[in-house]
DNA sequence: AATTGATTTCGGAAATTTCTGAAAGAACGA
DNA sequence: TCGTTCTTTCAGAAATTTCCGAAATCAATT
């Protein structure tokens, strides 16, 4: 009887999955991964690899790789059901937890390596005794200092509970 | 006489340019653009297109496209000199200003479109009168709310002066 | 208006990333 | 053990992104 409502919902989810995938691309995340994430975030129950393959019309290898990548990011959990050998996948739906997870992961993948580069470049330029050498060294130090600051902020925010973050936000925005 | 110091500096800059370019890739920014940015950030004086071409050993088209892209991002300024028909390029070196610029641009390119998607999906799912429809709508609303919050935070931070940001940071980190 | 020097554009090449399809591997039950 | 079912891997194909090189355009100068 709810054929129409179901169709509408299907259409809405398809739209979300497609658009979220496109956004992912702009974000430097691969399209399929973003689509799977969107699909799982809006799924009423965990999905199997075959469900994902069927819904997005992608190959097994692609589905598998990206599902595991999402698991590695900590955005998706594996669920096993009694008497069923398949793995099912379930996305974290709490937006604050998603945010924290992404923030942690991006810090690890983007901020920490940057710090390494900056420290190294500061070190090898430390003793250059010309005005230009000093300027270069200073620039490295300023970048390093800032990235370190960003890193600490990220840690701090990532450690917040949802409620506290909202509280802080209220103060900051009010 | 400062041949050694100059060589050392050249080596340090090359290292920075190369590594920053590699980082850029991970960040979803094209390597050349990140390299040019690194080069200009550590240049003692503005560089011409030919300088950039020569230093990075890239084609004119590539140099030109990415320089203009950096200008579009607001990270690089065009400088003209009297009696010289060439354009020179100069990067913003103040880390806080760089951060603000990137934050603004990413908000515009990534957050605002995401908001659009979420609002649209919330709208088309608003009237679906099934439990699953409600759940989908709720998920959209939660995401929308969060992204809106992020958007406002970004605006707020982007409006801060360097000094004030540090002050707030001290409070937050202390 | 012709020359010179600089900027911009763009078609196709090259490099990189992503995806498929199939085969190999593991886990389990009969 | 053997067969079944699901998971994992991976080589090559496809798609996408980036880059080169050269031609076209523009603008200042003679």
């Amino acid at each position: 009887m709810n054929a129409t409502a179901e169709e509408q919902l299907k259409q809405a989810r398809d739209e979300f999955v497609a658009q979220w995938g496109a956004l992912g691309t702009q974000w430097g995340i691969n399209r399929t991964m973003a689509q799977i994430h969107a699909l799982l975030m809006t799924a009423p129950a965990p999905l199997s690899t075959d469900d994902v393959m069927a819904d997005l019309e992608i190959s097994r290898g692609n589905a598998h790789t990206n599902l595991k990548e999402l698991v590695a990011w900590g955005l998706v959990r594996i669920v096993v059901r009694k008497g069923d050998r398949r793995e099912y996948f379930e996305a974290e739906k709490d937006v604050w937890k998603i945010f924290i997870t992404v923030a942690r992961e991006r810090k690890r993948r983007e901020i920490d390596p940057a710090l390494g580069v900056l420290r190294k470049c500061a070190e090898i330029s430390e003793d250059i005794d010309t005005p230009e050498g000093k300027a270069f060294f200073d620039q490295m130090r300023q970048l390093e200092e800032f990235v370190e600051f960003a890193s600490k902020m990220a840690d701090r925010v990532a450690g917040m509970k949802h409620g506290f973050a909202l509280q802080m936000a209220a103060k900051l925005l009010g």
Side-chain angles (χ1 to χ4, degrees), chain A:
Chain A
M1 48 154 282
N2 267 320
T4 301
E6 273 171 35
E7 278 165 30
Q8 267 185 288
L9 179 56
K10 173 92 173 81
Q11 190 190 336
R13 281 185 76 202
D14 281 355
E15 173 77 12
F16 177 60
V17 168
Q19 296 295 325
W20 204 249
L23 284 175
T25 301
Q26 271 191 310
W27 259 75
I29 291 164
N30 109 24
R31 189 192 343 279
T32 303
M33 192 170 142
Q35 285 179 333
I36 296 180
H37 187 226
L39 186 66
L40 291 177
M41 270 200 301
T42 56
L47 302 183
S48 69
T49 302
D50 289 80
D51 292 335
V52 172
M53 287 168 62
D55 204 305
L56 300 181
E57 299 181 42
I58 58 176
S59 73
R60 183 172 303 283
N62 195 12
H64 178 263
T65 304
N66 284 292
L67 279 165
K68 286 303 158 94
E69 186 68 8
L70 282 165
V71 171
W73 269 74
L75 291 168
V76 165
R77 273 186 297 283
I78 296 174
V79 175
V80 285
R81 291 172 172 170
K82 286 184 190 170
D84 190 338
R85 280 163 61 186
R86 268 173 298 183
E87 288 183 335
Y88 289 79
F89 300 88
E90 179 182 50
E92 174 58 59
K93 295 189 178 187
D94 181 303
V95 287
W96 182 254
K97 285 187 184 165
I98 294 172
F99 170 71
I100 297 300
T101 302
V102 172
R104 275 218 188 86
E105 201 66 14
R106 287 181 85 106
K107 174 181 178 299
R108 195 175 68 71
R109 299 182 184 213
E110 296 168 3
I111 299 199
D112 294 346
L115 256 187
V117 170
L118 293 169
R119 289 195 176 128
K120 181 177 179 191
C121 289
E123 192 190 325
I124 65 178
S125 66
E126 191 164 12
D127 300 323
I128 302 177
D129 199 17
T130 61
E132 295 185 359
K134 300 284 185 209
F136 180 87
F137 176 69
D138 277 356
Q139 183 71 13
M140 291 302 105
R141 287 306 299 274
Q142 282 176 38
L143 284 166
E144 184 191 331
E145 201 176 311
F146 181 80
V147 173
E148 226 155 37
F149 163 65
S151 175
K152 281 177 188 162
M153 288 292 275
D155 285 341
R156 187 48 78 99
V157 172
M160 289 178 180
K161 292 281 171 272
H162 192 169
F164 181 61
L166 277 185
Q167 200 180 340
M168 187 204 69
K171 197 178 294 180
L172 208 62
L173 294 174

